[in-house]
Amino acid sequence: MERRVGRLLPLLAVHTVVEYCRLPWKPPVTAGLLAANTLIYLRPSFLHHILPPIREVWFNPYLILKHKELKRFFLSAFYHVGESHLVYNMMSLLWKGIQLETSKGSVEFASMVAALLTMSQGITLLIAKSLLLFFDYEKPFYSEYAVGFSGVLFAMKVVLNSQSENYAYVHGLVVPARYAAWAELILIQMFVPGVSFLGHLGGILAGLLYLKLKGSYSGPDPLTSIIRNFAGILSWPLKLMRSLFRPRRQRISGRGTVGASQGGRTVSGVWRCQACTFDNSVWLSVCEMCGTSRGGSGFSSRQLQHQDGDDLTLAEIRRRRIERFG
Protein backbone atom coordinates (compact mmCIF):
# COMPACT_ATOMS: atom_id res chain seq x y z
CA MET A 1 0.00 0.00 0.00
CA GLU A 2 1.29 3.46 -0.93
CA ARG A 3 2.31 5.52 2.10
CA ARG A 4 1.11 9.03 2.75
CA VAL A 5 3.71 11.77 2.84
CA GLY A 6 4.03 13.37 6.26
CA ARG A 7 5.66 16.62 7.32
CA LEU A 8 9.25 15.42 7.52
CA LEU A 9 9.72 14.18 3.94
CA PRO A 10 9.08 17.60 2.35
CA LEU A 11 11.68 19.07 4.70
CA LEU A 12 14.13 16.36 3.61
CA ALA A 13 13.40 17.13 -0.04
CA VAL A 14 13.93 20.88 0.42
CA HIS A 15 17.15 20.34 2.38
CA THR A 16 18.48 17.96 -0.29
CA VAL A 17 17.70 20.39 -3.12
CA VAL A 18 19.34 23.28 -1.27
CA GLU A 19 22.47 21.24 -0.56
CA TYR A 20 22.79 20.06 -4.15
CA CYS A 21 22.18 23.52 -5.61
CA ARG A 22 25.12 24.95 -3.70
CA LEU A 23 27.49 22.23 -4.91
CA PRO A 24 29.54 22.83 -8.07
CA TRP A 25 29.47 19.05 -8.74
CA LYS A 26 26.38 16.99 -7.93
CA PRO A 27 27.29 13.55 -6.48
CA PRO A 28 25.09 11.12 -8.47
CA VAL A 29 25.52 7.99 -6.34
CA THR A 30 24.45 9.79 -3.17
CA ALA A 31 21.40 11.16 -4.98
CA GLY A 32 20.58 7.67 -6.25
CA LEU A 33 20.79 6.17 -2.76
CA LEU A 34 18.54 8.91 -1.35
CA ALA A 35 15.99 8.35 -4.11
CA ALA A 36 16.08 4.55 -3.75
CA ASN A 37 15.51 4.59 0.01
CA THR A 38 12.72 7.16 -0.29
CA LEU A 39 10.90 5.37 -3.12
CA ILE A 40 11.07 2.05 -1.29
CA TYR A 41 9.55 3.67 1.78
CA LEU A 42 6.79 5.47 -0.14
CA ARG A 43 6.00 2.40 -2.31
CA PRO A 44 4.32 4.25 -5.20
CA SER A 45 1.75 2.30 -7.19
CA PHE A 46 4.04 1.67 -10.18
CA LEU A 47 6.53 -0.10 -7.85
CA HIS A 48 3.99 -1.92 -5.71
CA HIS A 49 4.26 -5.20 -7.63
CA ILE A 50 8.07 -5.05 -7.81
CA LEU A 51 8.99 -4.24 -4.22
CA PRO A 52 8.46 -7.02 -1.66
CA PRO A 53 6.62 -6.04 1.54
CA ILE A 54 8.66 -5.27 4.62
CA ARG A 55 7.64 -8.51 6.33
CA GLU A 56 9.58 -10.41 3.64
CA VAL A 57 12.81 -8.42 4.00
CA TRP A 58 13.26 -7.99 7.76
CA PHE A 59 16.87 -8.78 8.69
CA ASN A 60 16.52 -11.87 10.86
CA PRO A 61 19.64 -14.03 11.41
CA TYR A 62 17.58 -17.15 12.10
CA LEU A 63 15.55 -16.93 8.87
CA ILE A 64 18.55 -15.92 6.76
CA LEU A 65 20.64 -18.89 7.86
CA LYS A 66 17.82 -21.43 7.96
CA HIS A 67 16.20 -20.61 4.61
CA LYS A 68 19.23 -18.98 2.87
CA GLU A 69 17.15 -15.85 2.24
CA LEU A 70 19.60 -13.46 0.58
CA LYS A 71 16.71 -11.08 -0.07
CA ARG A 72 16.61 -10.31 3.64
CA PHE A 73 20.39 -10.01 3.74
CA PHE A 74 20.65 -7.29 1.07
CA LEU A 75 17.28 -5.53 0.85
CA SER A 76 16.65 -4.98 4.56
CA ALA A 77 19.09 -2.06 4.59
CA PHE A 78 16.87 -0.07 2.19
CA TYR A 79 13.62 -0.43 4.18
CA HIS A 80 12.55 1.81 7.07
CA VAL A 81 9.78 1.39 9.63
CA GLY A 82 8.64 5.02 9.77
CA GLU A 83 9.06 8.49 8.34
CA SER A 84 11.25 9.73 11.19
CA HIS A 85 13.47 6.64 10.82
CA LEU A 86 13.88 7.31 7.09
CA VAL A 87 14.45 11.07 7.37
CA TYR A 88 17.04 10.72 10.15
CA ASN A 89 19.01 8.18 8.12
CA MET A 90 18.73 10.11 4.85
CA MET A 91 19.91 13.35 6.45
CA SER A 92 22.94 11.47 7.72
CA LEU A 93 23.47 9.85 4.29
CA LEU A 94 23.26 13.24 2.57
CA TRP A 95 25.98 14.74 4.76
CA LYS A 96 28.32 11.74 4.71
CA GLY A 97 27.69 10.80 1.09
CA ILE A 98 28.47 14.24 -0.32
CA GLN A 99 31.80 14.38 1.49
CA LEU A 100 32.89 10.84 0.69
CA GLU A 101 31.75 10.82 -2.94
CA THR A 102 33.34 14.21 -3.61
CA SER A 103 36.68 13.05 -2.21
CA LYS A 104 36.70 9.52 -3.65
CA GLY A 105 34.80 9.86 -6.91
CA SER A 106 31.51 8.22 -7.83
CA VAL A 107 32.87 4.84 -8.92
CA GLU A 108 35.03 4.27 -5.84
CA PHE A 109 32.26 5.57 -3.57
CA ALA A 110 29.75 3.16 -5.12
CA SER A 111 32.13 0.23 -4.61
CA MET A 112 32.73 1.35 -1.02
CA VAL A 113 29.00 1.47 -0.25
CA ALA A 114 28.50 -2.01 -1.74
CA ALA A 115 31.41 -3.38 0.30
CA LEU A 116 30.25 -1.73 3.52
CA LEU A 117 26.70 -2.98 3.03
CA THR A 118 27.86 -6.56 2.52
CA MET A 119 30.39 -6.50 5.35
CA SER A 120 28.09 -4.83 7.89
CA GLN A 121 25.28 -7.30 7.24
CA GLY A 122 27.72 -10.22 7.27
CA ILE A 123 29.38 -9.16 10.52
CA THR A 124 25.99 -8.66 12.18
CA LEU A 125 24.97 -12.14 11.09
CA LEU A 126 28.25 -13.62 12.34
CA ILE A 127 27.97 -11.93 15.75
CA ALA A 128 24.37 -13.09 16.21
CA LYS A 129 25.28 -16.67 15.37
CA SER A 130 28.32 -16.56 17.66
CA LEU A 131 26.27 -15.27 20.59
CA LEU A 132 23.83 -18.12 20.08
CA LEU A 133 26.54 -20.78 19.96
CA PHE A 134 28.71 -19.56 22.82
CA PHE A 135 26.30 -17.72 25.13
CA ASP A 136 22.87 -19.06 24.11
CA TYR A 137 21.63 -15.54 23.31
CA GLU A 138 18.79 -16.47 21.00
CA LYS A 139 15.93 -14.12 21.85
CA PRO A 140 17.76 -10.76 22.08
CA PHE A 141 19.88 -11.07 18.92
CA TYR A 142 19.50 -14.25 16.87
CA SER A 143 15.73 -13.86 16.49
CA GLU A 144 15.81 -10.08 16.24
CA TYR A 145 14.08 -8.28 13.34
CA ALA A 146 15.71 -5.13 11.98
CA VAL A 147 15.68 -2.88 8.90
CA GLY A 148 17.35 0.39 7.96
CA PHE A 149 20.42 1.95 6.39
CA SER A 150 22.00 2.87 9.72
CA GLY A 151 24.51 0.00 9.71
CA VAL A 152 26.03 1.33 6.47
CA LEU A 153 25.92 4.87 7.86
CA PHE A 154 27.90 3.85 10.95
CA ALA A 155 30.49 2.25 8.65
CA MET A 156 30.63 5.41 6.52
CA LYS A 157 31.12 7.50 9.67
CA VAL A 158 34.14 5.37 10.61
CA VAL A 159 35.66 5.79 7.14
CA LEU A 160 34.95 9.53 7.05
CA ASN A 161 36.47 10.24 10.46
CA SER A 162 39.36 7.78 10.25
CA GLN A 163 41.99 10.43 9.49
CA SER A 164 40.38 13.34 11.32
CA GLU A 165 42.11 15.02 14.24
CA ASN A 166 39.14 17.27 14.96
CA TYR A 167 36.33 16.95 17.47
CA ALA A 168 32.71 16.16 16.70
CA TYR A 169 29.38 16.82 18.41
CA VAL A 170 27.48 13.62 19.19
CA HIS A 171 24.06 14.42 20.63
CA GLY A 172 25.47 17.34 22.61
CA LEU A 173 28.75 15.71 23.63
CA VAL A 174 32.12 16.75 22.24
CA VAL A 175 34.28 13.72 21.41
CA PRO A 176 37.27 13.09 19.11
CA ALA A 177 35.94 12.56 15.59
CA ARG A 178 37.55 9.16 15.16
CA TYR A 179 35.60 7.87 18.19
CA ALA A 180 32.32 9.55 17.25
CA ALA A 181 30.76 6.33 15.95
CA TRP A 182 31.42 4.51 19.22
CA ALA A 183 29.96 7.36 21.26
CA GLU A 184 26.86 7.48 19.05
CA LEU A 185 26.45 3.69 19.36
CA ILE A 186 26.31 3.92 23.16
CA LEU A 187 24.13 7.04 23.34
CA ILE A 188 21.55 5.76 20.86
CA GLN A 189 21.33 2.47 22.68
CA MET A 190 20.76 4.32 25.96
CA PHE A 191 18.16 6.87 24.85
CA VAL A 192 16.44 5.41 21.76
CA PRO A 193 14.49 2.24 22.50
CA GLY A 194 14.08 -0.50 19.94
CA VAL A 195 17.21 0.15 17.88
CA SER A 196 19.40 -2.67 16.65
CA PHE A 197 22.58 -2.71 18.71
CA LEU A 198 24.11 -5.51 16.62
CA GLY A 199 23.27 -3.73 13.37
CA HIS A 200 25.06 -0.57 14.45
CA LEU A 201 27.97 -2.48 15.94
CA GLY A 202 28.30 -4.49 12.74
CA GLY A 203 28.49 -1.23 10.80
CA ILE A 204 31.32 0.12 12.96
CA LEU A 205 33.28 -3.11 12.65
CA ALA A 206 32.66 -3.16 8.89
CA GLY A 207 34.13 0.34 8.60
CA LEU A 208 37.21 -0.67 10.55
CA LEU A 209 37.61 -3.83 8.45
CA TYR A 210 37.23 -1.84 5.23
CA LEU A 211 39.99 0.58 6.29
CA LYS A 212 42.22 -2.33 7.26
CA LEU A 213 41.74 -4.10 3.93
CA LYS A 214 42.09 -0.87 1.99
CA GLY A 215 45.37 -0.03 3.73
CA SER A 216 46.88 -3.49 3.23
CA TYR A 217 45.90 -3.85 -0.44
CA SER A 218 48.27 -2.02 -2.78
CA GLY A 219 46.68 -2.88 -6.12
CA PRO A 220 43.54 -1.42 -7.71
CA ASP A 221 40.27 -2.15 -5.96
CA PRO A 222 38.71 -5.11 -7.84
CA LEU A 223 35.14 -4.00 -7.10
CA THR A 224 35.92 -0.46 -8.28
CA SER A 225 37.36 -1.85 -11.53
CA ILE A 226 34.26 -3.99 -12.08
CA ILE A 227 31.91 -1.05 -11.52
CA ARG A 228 34.00 1.22 -13.77
CA ASN A 229 34.01 -1.36 -16.58
CA PHE A 230 30.30 -1.99 -16.16
CA ALA A 231 29.59 1.75 -16.32
CA GLY A 232 31.73 1.97 -19.46
CA ILE A 233 29.71 -0.83 -21.10
CA LEU A 234 26.43 0.88 -20.22
CA SER A 235 27.61 4.24 -21.59
CA TRP A 236 28.88 2.77 -24.89
CA PRO A 237 25.48 2.85 -26.70
CA LEU A 238 25.00 6.48 -25.63
CA LYS A 239 28.43 7.44 -26.96
CA LEU A 240 27.66 5.66 -30.22
CA MET A 241 24.36 7.50 -30.67
CA ARG A 242 26.03 10.83 -29.94
CA SER A 243 28.72 10.16 -32.52
CA LEU A 244 26.13 9.16 -35.15
CA PHE A 245 23.89 12.18 -34.65
CA ARG A 246 26.58 14.77 -33.92
CA PRO A 247 26.20 17.68 -36.41
CA ARG A 248 28.96 17.90 -38.99
CA ARG A 249 30.98 21.10 -39.11
CA GLN A 250 32.41 20.67 -42.61
CA ARG A 251 31.44 23.40 -45.06
CA ILE A 252 30.64 22.72 -48.69
CA SER A 253 29.81 26.30 -49.64
CA GLY A 254 32.37 28.59 -51.19
CA ARG A 255 31.56 31.31 -48.69
CA GLY A 256 34.33 30.32 -46.29
CA THR A 257 36.92 32.29 -44.39
CA VAL A 258 39.34 34.72 -45.89
CA GLY A 259 42.80 35.09 -44.43
CA ALA A 260 46.16 33.45 -44.00
CA SER A 261 46.46 29.69 -43.95
CA GLN A 262 46.03 28.25 -40.44
CA GLY A 263 49.09 26.10 -40.09
CA GLY A 264 48.49 24.55 -43.51
CA ARG A 265 45.25 22.88 -42.40
CA THR A 266 42.50 22.44 -45.00
CA VAL A 267 38.83 21.62 -44.56
CA SER A 268 37.35 18.68 -46.43
CA GLY A 269 35.01 19.89 -49.20
CA VAL A 270 36.79 23.21 -49.87
CA TRP A 271 39.94 24.46 -51.58
CA ARG A 272 41.85 27.62 -50.66
CA CYS A 273 42.73 30.14 -53.34
CA GLN A 274 46.48 30.71 -53.46
CA ALA A 275 45.99 34.35 -54.44
CA CYS A 276 43.42 35.71 -51.97
CA THR A 277 43.25 32.76 -49.49
CA PHE A 278 39.47 32.48 -49.87
CA ASP A 279 37.94 29.04 -49.17
CA ASN A 280 35.91 27.82 -52.14
CA SER A 281 33.73 24.76 -52.69
CA VAL A 282 35.40 21.81 -54.40
CA TRP A 283 32.68 22.05 -57.06
CA LEU A 284 34.12 25.41 -58.25
CA SER A 285 37.13 25.59 -60.55
CA VAL A 286 37.51 29.38 -60.28
CA CYS A 287 37.82 31.37 -57.05
CA GLU A 288 34.49 32.95 -56.20
CA MET A 289 36.24 35.94 -54.69
CA CYS A 290 38.95 37.00 -57.15
CA GLY A 291 38.42 34.76 -60.18
CA THR A 292 41.77 32.98 -59.97
CA SER A 293 41.65 29.46 -61.41
CA ARG A 294 42.02 26.54 -59.04
CA GLY A 295 45.67 25.57 -58.60
CA GLY A 296 46.82 28.81 -60.23
CA SER A 297 50.12 30.33 -59.13
CA GLY A 298 52.58 33.06 -60.01
CA PHE A 299 50.63 36.04 -58.70
CA SER A 300 52.23 38.49 -56.34
CA SER A 301 50.67 39.59 -53.08
CA ARG A 302 50.28 43.09 -54.41
CA GLN A 303 48.61 42.39 -57.72
CA LEU A 304 46.28 39.65 -59.05
CA GLN A 305 45.51 38.80 -62.66
CA HIS A 306 41.79 38.42 -63.46
CA GLN A 307 40.39 36.15 -66.20
CA ASP A 308 39.61 39.05 -68.55
CA GLY A 309 43.22 40.29 -68.42
CA ASP A 310 42.61 43.31 -66.16
CA ASP A 311 44.95 43.87 -63.29
CA LEU A 312 43.15 43.78 -59.93
CA THR A 313 44.67 45.68 -57.06
CA LEU A 314 43.99 44.79 -53.42
CA ALA A 315 41.72 47.82 -53.14
CA GLU A 316 39.64 46.53 -56.07
CA ILE A 317 39.37 43.11 -54.46
CA ARG A 318 38.14 44.69 -51.21
CA ARG A 319 35.55 46.71 -53.16
CA ARG A 320 34.26 43.59 -54.90
CA ARG A 321 34.05 41.75 -51.59
CA ILE A 322 31.87 44.54 -50.17
CA GLU A 323 29.64 44.47 -53.25
CA ARG A 324 29.29 40.67 -53.13
CA PHE A 325 28.84 40.12 -49.39
CA GLY A 326 27.65 43.51 -48.16
Side-chain angles (χ1 to χ4, degrees):
M1 183 178 64
E2 186 174 348
R3 294 178 184 266
R4 297 178 59 184
V5 178
R7 298 179 179 180
L8 295 178
L9 276 176
L11 295 178
L12 172 64
V14 171
H15 183 68
T16 302
V17 171
V18 170
E19 286 294 322
Y20 265 76
C21 287
R22 57 184 284 270
L23 294 174
W25 178 72
K26 322 299 180 187
V29 177
T30 301
L33 290 172
L34 290 168
N37 280 272
T38 305
L39 285 175
I40 289 175
Y41 172 77
L42 292 176
R43 295 182 64 84
S45 56
F46 66 91
L47 293 177
H48 181 70
H49 299 289
I50 301 176
L51 298 174
I54 192 172
R55 66 177 179 272
E56 297 180 6
V57 299
W58 285 101
F59 186 90
N60 181 273
Y62 170 75
L63 295 176
I64 293 174
L65 294 176
K66 181 179 180 180
H67 302 292
K68 306 297 189 293
E69 295 189 54
L70 294 179
K71 177 172 61 176
R72 295 180 183 271
F73 185 89
F74 289 105
L75 294 184
S76 59
F78 298 95
Y79 281 70
H80 294 81
V81 295
E83 187 179 23
S84 59
H85 185 205
L86 172 72
V87 171
Y88 181 84
N89 280 352
M90 293 304 99
M91 294 286 281
S92 179
L93 173 62
L94 178 66
W95 183 75
K96 297 180 179 70
I98 287 176
Q99 296 184 74
L100 288 171
E101 187 173 357
T102 303
S103 61
K104 292 179 175 293
S106 295
V107 175
E108 185 176 353
F109 175 72
S111 68
M112 184 196 73
V113 171
L116 293 178
L117 171 62
T118 304
M119 288 191 295
S120 64
Q121 301 286 73
I123 292 174
T124 302
L125 192 65
L126 180 62
I127 295 176
K129 184 64 175 179
S130 300
L131 290 174
L132 173 66
L133 293 177
F134 297 107
F135 301 99
D136 198 24
Y137 279 7
E138 179 177 358
K139 181 65 175 177
F141 302 114
Y142 192 66
S143 301
E144 180 184 64
Y145 290 86
V147 290
F149 208 71
S150 54
V152 182
L153 294 174
F154 269 87
M156 292 171 62
K157 181 188 286 287
V158 172
V159 175
L160 183 62
N161 295 329
S162 60
Q163 302 298 327
S164 177
E165 300 293 339
N166 298 325
Y167 287 84
Y169 284 93
V170 180
H171 301 286
L173 297 178
V174 180
V175 297
R178 63 177 60 189
Y179 303 117
W182 293 103
E184 187 173 2
L185 172 67
I186 298 173
L187 291 175
I188 288 181
Q189 195 65 30
M190 291 173 57
F191 298 106
V192 182
V195 297
S196 175
F197 176 78
L198 282 192
H200 295 169
L201 177 62
I204 294 177
L205 297 178
L208 295 174
L209 179 59
Y210 176 84
L211 292 173
K212 183 68 175 178
L213 295 176
K214 191 76 173 177
S216 61
Y217 188 73
S218 58
D221 184 1
L223 186 57
T224 301
S225 301
I226 292 174
I227 294 177
R228 182 177 286 111
N229 293 333
F230 183 70
I233 293 173
L234 292 180
S235 63
W236 180 82
L238 179 60
K239 294 179 181 178
L240 178 62
M241 296 298 294
R242 290 177 60 185
S243 63
L244 290 176
F245 294 99
R246 183 178 299 168
R248 298 180 180 271
R249 296 185 179 181
Q250 297 177 350
R251 295 169 299 189
I252 59 175
S253 172
R255 302 181 183 274
T257 58
V258 179
S261 176
Q262 300 176 359
R265 293 179 295 177
T266 59
V267 181
S268 176
V270 301
W271 62 274
R272 176 159 293 178
C273 177
Q274 297 183 12
C276 68
T277 69
F278 185 77
D279 289 339
N280 299 272
S281 170
V282 294
W283 304 107
L284 301 176
S285 59
V286 178
C287 178
E288 192 178 6
M289 178 62 66
C290 64
T292 302
S293 61
R294 182 175 180 179
S297 59
F299 300 100
S300 66
S301 61
R302 286 290 181 182
Q303 193 174 33
L304 303 174
Q305 184 72 23
H306 194 48
Q307 285 182 330
D308 57 6
D310 296 333
D311 293 335
L312 296 180
T313 64
L314 293 177
E316 179 64 17
I317 293 176
R318 294 191 187 99
R319 186 186 65 79
R320 293 193 181 191
R321 289 175 182 170
I322 295 175
E323 291 178 354
R324 183 182 296 270
F325 301 107

